[in-house]
Amino acid sequence: MTDLAADRQLDHDVIIVGAGFAGLYMLHRLRSAGFSARVLDAADGVGGTWYWNRYPGARCDVQSFDYSYSFSDELQQDWTWSERYATQPEILRYIEHVAERFDLNRDVQLGATVLGATFDDAHSRWTIELEGGQHLVSTYVVMATGCLSVPKRPSFAGLSDFKGETYISGEWPHHPVQLSGKRVGIIGTGSTGIQLTTAIAREAGELLLFHRTPNFSLPAQNRPLDEEFTRELKSQYDQRRQEARTTTRGYPVPPILSDLSALEVEHEQRLEVYEAVWRNGGPVFTSSFADLLTNPEANATASEFVRGKISSIVQDPATVEALTRFDHPLGTRRPCVDTGYYETFNQPNVALVDVHDDPIVEITADGIRTASGSYDLDVIVFALGFDAMTGALLRMGITGQDGTTLPERWSDGPSAYLGVAMSGFPNLFTVTGPGSPSVLTNMVMAIEQHVDWITGILEFARDQGTDRVEADADTEKLWTQHVVAIADETLFPRANSWWTGANIPGKPRVFMPYVGGLGQFQQVLDDVRTHGYEGFSFS
Ligand code: N01
């Protein structure tokens, strides 16, 4: 491929991999800055995670009007969200609208599976190899491949013997799936499994939820957005976005959150705050007090409150026990956000199968067998999570300088300067990569932040008359150490979460996202930029 890159003319200044929120905005920004760019995506449509995750009940748990692009005021004024938390079909329609509105589709190549990306050191070019034999050569590559785009696939013994239907949540078929009256089993109780549960419980004849580790789930308090709310929102959209960029989460939080320690206030006052934030709804519950994610005693008060809520909702004591046997502090695995999840267990057609002490042994022709029993099923849905943050990058066949591959480079865990670039891989950028706030924040705001910054550094390189940009190894190492050090000051690393890679056997255990928050990260990015992109070399 090296010779090919030398012989061939450049196809584009930049190849972008991924046509989700990140890839599409990257294309828009690069075009506006005068670069030629092309987006590649294996899917048959734009949308990234919202193209693939079309399982029943799929919706976003960041409020729709925050989980949307802020770069165009016309767009945010024209588009009207119907619900506080948007469903997958509505979000996909929005992304398709953006692609059309900004004339992006003409530079998006769909059905394009990337098999490899190889850097030609002598000519400072990347060659991208696609399934089917096509090769593209570019100066830069931006991996907009998503943090949750590689589903964890089932590897249960006997899987192929099953006579019924099986579905993987992240690869849900495009045709309607008929579940009504059927015996359905769901394996997995993360955000996906919980959303699936509430949706499928309405339809299935019988629903069995195979549950291994309890996750905290918080009520969304979803509602339709009426005209008055929307008018008010739109009249202050710009201020809302300005504020969002300075926050930890990438969206403004309600003023009912307390900035005190949970231990500084009386029991009654603490309960009042928890009750008010619970009633307000959404993932902000984990910020009810200032120290829930840093102080185990403070956290225990919030965990206790949620346990109490679950016990007051779910009628069956054994189910309550299984749902509340938490092995991690609240918020140290990503909390789920639901509409009626705990209430679902009171339905006569729904049961929880606790596979913590009675593990799934195999899938049989008729259903699922655990160590102590067998469950006959017509349909099994796997909601097993993702090889998060690094999965898509590691399987992309990326080879940098000196023939070093990314899997070799990251064999002890990911390392990336600002989550955006890696030494030894010049001219390659990652949007919301490991070491950036990404999945701990509102992804769309985090994407815009990274994309704007990547565009800035490419413009800077062009102004310098160079076309080779590389993160310095020492600076990258210091940043990666800093990301781990500040995570260690919190409770986050205490949990076996996908944030640490613990959900994938053999994956190095490293807390991957930057816990400092979106606003603080912006200050770092601004600082690096105003110092002439300190920590990068240009040649
Ligand atoms: O995945 P998860 P997810 N046998 O890793 C279980 C985002 N998201 O797709 O914990 C039995 O959280 C596993 O059990 P355990 C969001 O960021 C967002 O649900 O390993 N069980 C766990 O219960 C979220 O955090 C939205 O014991 C097995 C489950 O599978 C992220 O995606 C909606 C198993 C995996 O849970 C991931 O959520 C949906 C086995 N062999 C998702 N292997 C929004 O609303 C795995 N499990 C925006």
Side-chain angles (χ1 to χ4, degrees):
M1 278 208 279
T2 300
D3 289 344
L4 183 74
D7 295 347
R8 272 184 65 161
Q9 297 227 318
L10 283 176
D11 293 298
H12 304 281
D13 294 327
V14 189
I15 296 283
I16 302 161
V17 185
F21 269 109
L24 292 178
Y25 181 49
M26 192 78 244
L27 172 62
H28 177 66
R29 284 293 274 118
L30 287 173
R31 258 193 204 163
S32 312
F35 293 96
S36 77
R38 184 169 195 77
V39 176
L40 308 174
D41 198 300
D44 290 330
V46 298
T49 198
W50 299 106
Y51 172 89
W52 293 105
N53 286 274
R54 45 183 83 211
Y55 58 84
R59 65 170 74 234
C60 185
D61 56 17
V62 174
Q63 298 180 107
S64 52
F65 41 88
D66 292 319
Y67 188 86
S68 48
Y69 290 120
S70 72
F71 71 85
S72 160
D73 193 45
E74 292 78 19
L75 171 66
Q76 65 187 10
Q77 292 299 330
D78 286 353
W79 185 268
T80 296
W81 293 101
S82 67
E83 288 180 87
R84 184 179 182 196
Y85 298 96
T87 60
Q88 175 272 335
E90 189 171 15
I91 300 172
L92 187 56
R93 275 200 303 281
Y94 170 78
I95 299 175
E96 288 168 348
H97 167 79
V98 171
E100 274 170 36
R101 185 181 181 117
F102 295 95
D103 190 23
L104 301 177
N105 290 318
R106 66 183 159 86
D107 285 322
V108 177
Q109 185 175 337
L110 297 169
T113 302
V114 174
L115 297 181
T118 304
F119 187 64
D120 170 6
D121 205 13
H123 304 90
S124 295
R125 291 172 173 192
W126 282 92
T127 301
I128 305 290
E129 183 188 354
L130 293 175
E131 199 174 75
Q134 188 185 1
H135 290 82
L136 292 167
V137 179
S138 63
T139 308
Y140 299 104
V141 172
V142 177
M143 292 294 177
T145 43
C147 296
L148 294 160
S149 46
V150 178
K152 183 179 169 188
R153 306 186 72 82
S155 57
F156 297 96
L159 179 60
S160 57
D161 297 338
F162 184 57
K163 288 185 300 198
E165 303 155 57
T166 57
Y167 299 99
I168 294 176
S169 54
E171 296 169 359
W172 200 263
H174 290 209
H175 59 80
V177 175
Q178 177 56 256
L179 297 173
S180 111
K182 292 187 179 165
R183 295 167 302 174
V184 181
I186 298 175
I187 306 180
T189 56
S191 301
T192 305
I194 281 173
Q195 292 183 339
L196 276 159
T197 298
T198 50
I200 294 181
R202 289 195 283 274
E203 207 185 338
E206 189 186 343
L207 172 59
L208 298 181
L209 182 61
F210 293 82
H211 174 276
R212 187 164 67 178
T213 310
N215 280 307
F216 289 91
S217 192
L218 307 164
Q221 313 291 14
N222 190 26
R223 61 170 187 271
L225 298 176
D226 60 32
E227 271 182 39
E228 193 188 330
F229 174 90
T230 301
R231 203 176 316 111
E232 173 85 10
L233 170 85
K234 288 187 178 179
S235 71
Q236 303 166 12
Y237 228 146
D238 263 353
Q239 295 98 295
R240 186 172 180 89
R241 300 301 202 164
Q242 293 294 349
E243 188 187 340
R245 291 186 191 102
T246 66
T247 62
T248 302
R249 288 172 177 268
Y251 52 84
V253 294
I256 44 174
L257 305 184
S258 169
D259 53 8
L260 299 173
S261 160
L263 306 178
E264 256 181 275
V265 299
E266 295 298 324
H267 179 68
E268 288 310 316
Q269 193 187 342
R270 201 160 51 223
L271 288 187
E272 274 171 31
V273 172
Y274 287 143
E275 193 60 50
V277 188
W278 182 270
R279 256 189 275 117
N280 177 73
V284 294
F285 185 83
T286 60
S287 305
S288 298
F289 287 95
D291 55 351
L292 295 189
L293 293 169
T294 50
N295 181 334
E297 286 79 35
N299 190 291
T301 66
S303 304
E304 202 44 47
F305 176 86
V306 178
R307 255 195 211 94
K309 284 286 183 193
I310 299 169
S311 330
S312 71
I313 298 169
V314 180
Q315 289 157 6
D316 174 50
T319 304
V320 172
E321 166 62 21
L323 288 169
T324 56
R325 204 193 309 106
F326 296 113
D327 67 354
H328 60 282
L330 171 82
T332 57
R333 285 162 67 114
R334 193 174 181 282
C336 310
V337 175
D338 71 89
T339 298
Y341 173 61
Y342 294 116
E343 288 81 351
T344 303
F345 294 101
N346 298 333
Q347 283 183 216
N349 64 331
V350 178
L352 181 147
V353 181
D354 190 357
V355 294
H356 184 263
D357 297 326
D358 182 20
I360 295 172
V361 175
E362 61 172 347
I363 302 212
T364 64
D366 297 320
I368 293 177
R369 189 168 75 77
T370 67
S372 77
S374 291
Y375 301 87
D376 288 352
L377 298 165
D378 303 309
V379 179
I380 303 177
V381 178
F382 299 101
L384 305 178
F386 297 87
D387 185 354
M389 303 202 70
T390 57
L393 294 167
L394 288 172
R395 70 175 193 172
M396 194 73 64
I398 299 173
T399 305
Q401 227 171 356
D402 307 330
T404 305
T405 67
L406 192 62
E408 286 165 349
R409 185 56 211 292
W410 281 2
S411 58
D412 294 331
S415 164
Y417 183 36
L418 306 172
V420 83
M422 295 158 283
S423 65
F425 294 81
N427 292 7
L428 181 121
F429 298 91
T430 51
V431 182
T432 64
S436 71
S438 66
V439 290
L440 294 179
T441 67
N442 172 0
M443 278 303 295
V444 184
M445 295 301 281
I447 282 167
E448 287 190 336
Q449 183 183 58
H450 249 176
V451 165
D452 290 345
W453 197 85
I454 292 168
T455 307
I457 197 170
L458 296 192
E459 288 176 310
F460 181 82
R462 185 174 58 192
D463 293 348
Q464 303 288 307
T466 66
D467 62 0
R468 187 174 167 121
V469 182
E470 185 177 358
D472 300 336
D474 290 344
T475 315
E476 175 191 314
K477 194 170 165 194
L478 284 175
W479 177 255
T480 305
Q481 287 168 348
H482 172 66
V483 170
V484 171
I486 59 171
D488 282 344
E489 291 167 15
T490 71
L491 304 180
F492 282 114
R494 296 191 181 200
N496 290 323
S497 68
W498 58 258
W499 288 326
T500 66
N503 65 327
I504 302 294
K507 190 164 173 170
R509 289 285 289 271
V510 178
F511 192 84
M512 294 181 278
Y514 170 77
V515 299
L518 196 84
Q520 198 169 307
F521 189 65
Q522 186 63 53
Q523 287 174 20
V524 176
L525 291 177
D526 289 346
D527 208 39
V528 171
R529 180 174 45 78
T530 51
H531 288 88
Y533 293 96
E534 201 171 22
F536 286 87
S537 52
F538 298 83
S539 55

